[in-house]
Amino acid sequence: VLTDRSFTKFYKLAGVSKFAYWDDFTDQLDRASVRETVNRFRTLDDLLAFSHEGARVGRFAASSVFRYLRVGRLDLTDGRTRETLVDQLALGMMRARAARRMLDAVRPRAALLLGNRYTGQSELMDLAVARGVDVVTWFEAHRSNALMLKRYSRNNSDQHHGSLSNDTWDAVRAMEWTPAHREELRHEIAHNYASGD
């Protein structure tokens, strides 16, 4: 298990005995050089195209800044936006270096990861997929007692964890859609909102 040392005791209770720790592979944040990099970005496309150690850290930093600032667009001329971007990009670059080192040392054949696409988590997934590691992500579903699982490869690495594969979408499209199906779907959605699920 790749974790923070503070969680080791909980994994041990579950029978885990082999650990890798992020801080064994992590170096220092380099905000000064990252600020220079951010100052070179003129457009959102410049940011989205930026990668480090083979991980698409610009894309993940952009998602994280959108989420943190709660804005609908990134104004790269705004000081607060740029400083938040420096923070996220510095963290992403540090985690990409750590992920590369960890993958070199551990050489996993498979990985089960939280399926988010934000700075700090996505760099490892990106590099693992690029190396051909069998990556499966988990994420909360629309019900409190359910999880979504998705297997990733180079072919679908940009798909949302809640998206359907082409095969599944084809099967759904080929289904006969009856009034009973429509009512079941309506009930599923309405019940989950009404129950607070």
Side-chain angles (χ1 to χ4, degrees), residues 78-96:
D78 175 69
R80 181 170 182 236
T81 299
R82 293 185 86 73
E83 283 307 303
T84 306
L85 186 53
V86 167
D87 291 341
Q88 293 301 312
L89 205 59
L91 175 61
M93 292 168 71
M94 181 184 73
R95 283 307 273 265

Side-chain angles (χ1 to χ4, degrees), residues 20 47 49 56 69 85 96 119 177 184 187:
L47 169 60
R56 297 169 298 168
L69 295 178
L85 186 53
T119 299
W177 190 252
E184 185 178 355
H187 178 267

Side-chain angles (χ1 to χ4, degrees), residues 40-48 76:
R40 290 193 298 268
F41 296 148
R42 296 291 169 244
T43 66
L44 184 58
D45 287 338
D46 294 339
L47 169 60
L48 296 176
L76 296 180

Side-chain angles (χ1 to χ4, degrees), residues 13-190:
L13 290 172
V16 176
S17 61
K18 295 173 90 176
F19 297 93
Y21 300 104
W22 272 115
D23 58 359
D24 289 342
F25 302 102
T26 302
D27 57 18
Q28 298 298 310
L29 289 172
D30 182 9
R31 291 180 51 80
S33 67
V34 172
R35 186 169 279 109
E36 291 174 18
T37 299
V38 169
N39 286 337
R40 290 193 298 268
F41 296 148
R42 296 291 169 244
T43 66
L44 184 58
D45 287 338
D46 294 339
L47 169 60
L48 296 176
F50 184 75
S51 65
H52 183 71
E53 297 284 343
R56 297 169 298 168
V57 296
R59 177 180 294 220
F60 309 135
S63 291
S64 297
V65 173
F66 275 117
R67 184 178 189 200
Y68 179 79
L69 295 178
R70 298 177 184 259
V71 295
R73 71 178 193 87
L74 296 184
D75 178 359
L76 296 180
T77 64
D78 175 69
R80 181 170 182 236
T81 299
R82 293 185 86 73
E83 283 307 303
T84 306
L85 186 53
V86 167
D87 291 341
Q88 293 301 312
L89 205 59
L91 175 61
M93 292 168 71
M94 181 184 73
R95 283 307 273 265
R97 292 187 301 271
R100 179 190 47 80
R101 291 180 189 117
M102 189 280 302
L103 289 169
D104 288 346
V106 175
R107 299 195 180 281
R109 291 189 315 271
L112 176 64
L113 305 169
L114 175 62
N116 78 38
R117 301 303 272 171
Y118 298 110
T119 299
Q121 302 287 325
S122 297
E123 298 81 10
L124 175 59
M125 180 180 161
D126 220 33
L127 292 173
V129 166
R131 290 183 182 208
V133 174
D134 187 13
V135 173
V136 175
T137 64
W138 67 272
F139 209 79
E140 299 90 358
H142 66 288
R143 290 179 172 223
S144 60
N145 63 350
L147 293 175
M148 290 187 289
L149 301 171
K150 189 169 188 80
R151 174 169 271 123
Y152 281 95
S153 68
R154 289 180 187 103
N155 296 330
N156 70 344
S157 63
D158 286 333
Q159 290 182 0
H160 188 272
H161 56 264
S163 64
L164 300 176
S165 69
N166 289 336
D167 290 343
T168 301
W169 180 235
D170 289 343
V172 169
R173 288 176 48 205
M175 284 175 51
E176 178 186 355
W177 190 252
T178 66
H181 287 112
R182 182 178 311 282
E183 179 56 26
E184 185 178 355
L185 176 62
R186 189 205 63 74
H187 178 267
E188 179 77 10
I189 294 169

